Amino acid sequence: MTTQTTSPQTPAKEPAGSTAGLIGIPPNIGRALATGGGILTIISTFLAWTWTSAFPGDLTFYGYPGGLQVLVLIGGALTTLFGLSSYGVKGLRWLTPAGADSAIKLAALAAFATAWYTIIAISSKLGGLANLEPGGWVVAVATLAALVGSLSLPFQRPAPDPYDPDDTAWEQFRHQRRYDVTVVKAAFASGTTKAPAHKLPAYAEILVIVAALALGLTVFTYGIGTEYDEQFIGFLITAGLGFAAAAKAGLVNRLSALTSKHRNVTMIGAFVAAAAFPFTQSDDQYATIGVYILIFATVALGLNIVVGLAGLLDLGYVAFLGVGAYTAAMVSGSPSSPFDIHLPFWASALLGAAVAMVFGVLIGAPTLRLRGDYLAIVTLGFGEIFRITVLNMDGTSGPDITNGSNGISSIPNLNILGFDFGQEHSIAGFTIARFANYFLLMLLITLVVVIVFRRSGDSRIGRAWVAIREDETAALAMGINGFRVKLIAFALGAALAGLAGSVQAHVTYTVTPEQYQFAHVVPPNSAFLLAAVVLGGMGTISGPLVGAALLYLIPAKLQFLGDYQLLAFGLALVLLMRFRPEGLIPNRRRQLEFHEEAEAPTVLSKAGA
């Protein structure tokens, strides 16, 4: 059986197991064309693309890129770096541990798509191709040449990931050994006899993680701060295809290996990077989006316990967010509340989590003996029952508790130990406003939820959840009390959602029944929460956080599409699930479920060796 793996490529000889590209150009010529096109793309971004500043971003300058040119520059730089790495350039081979050819294709496509989108937008907005300057024509030819050259490269299978957080130490050792054998075989097949690269020292690995977190903060800040519609669409194209290129090159797997090895450092660094976000903003506009993203992400992480770990399909989870929000609103001192109570925040937050947990137990106790679609239908019904109940508690259709469709309004800002979250404050010379204050508070809540998720997943009950998810019948046969285990997951997930809801009530000033529907244009809602978990990666910590950030940010930025907003958003989700069904940041078990046919030949051949 032939092992289809990747290795450091040399232009003179293709690795064993590779197949022909899409066009008939020899791979060596195609690689040179792609690399040269990438270099020319970089040069073209320093030229003027149009003669007038009427197009957003002002692409009329020579000497430095601006607007969409920056995104094309990134695509061209990735194409060039991956191309040079395929030639074995010293110091760049670490960029492509799983092979460069597929990464070159995606990087060239990113530069081509962004550049040609810009050219089409210029022509459409300004009235024809006559408005292009020489730089616009150069980038069109350069990106097309790079794409054509990349399509001649062979298709290759990436090497498996050497680490996985879900593996035991023995499984990680065995997988690392198989990975090293694969790389050595591929090196001999490609005409090189170099052994796998030596492991980095611990401090260097930590520096790589810090650099990756800083890059993530930069990308998020750039995306959330895009000034015009064309720039955000170009950002989506470049960021999406750039991430895919990094994944094909093996950089994502390599980074996952480092983060799983230094989990505490990664978690602390991630939250430090997130805490720095409000200080990168000049006003409170984007901090508003940031705090809503954190609320959405925290609730999605709580749902990940129910769906990702325990395997229970819950379509009414947003109701627990509403329970926490209404509970906190009623005891916040709001004049709309029927109770003349004003508890401190810590008490209202704990009360919101406790009431949501009680509702989770009350709903889960009679329904968790159901499985699959039946359980999903019951939970969907609970979500609608909650919304209709609070809608009818208006003093006319029922008791006067929630003010019906008007909700509970005028919820006061939090004041914790004299720190008023509704006022501006100066910290280390930076001024942070209301939403930035709530962003930092919500970040602490998110940290608590992450710690709870991590400790629960690593515990005995967490392993029982995974066993129930994988095969409930087998888990019951092994002595696991399935009903009790699922009820704990349901209650814990509900409590975390209630905790996030207690902060949401103060951030939004008002809680109304319309905020907690199954499907709604603006997240969070049950449909978007479930999509965030599946899109990001079920059963992981970072997956739902990333998925929730994307699912909140993209619709907020696509409002200019009007009625076509959800259509474009839906198409993007379909494409993502088609090409990466395991999610953006999956664990290895789920990755193997979707790509078993790609991994099996490699593993079998190595076992046979």
Side-chain angles (χ1 to χ4, degrees), residues 567-584:
L567 174 62
F569 184 60
L571 288 176
L573 291 182
V574 169
L575 292 175
L576 184 60
M577 289 294 98
R578 167 60 183 85
F579 294 104
R580 198 170 177 84
E582 69 273 22
L584 293 174

Side-chain angles (χ1 to χ4, degrees), residues 29-56:
I29 297 177
R31 188 173 287 110
L33 187 61
T35 306
I39 295 174
L40 189 59
T41 299
I42 295 174
I43 296 174
S44 68
T45 60
F46 291 87
L47 306 175
W49 288 9
T50 183
W51 62 273
T52 173
S53 60
F55 186 80

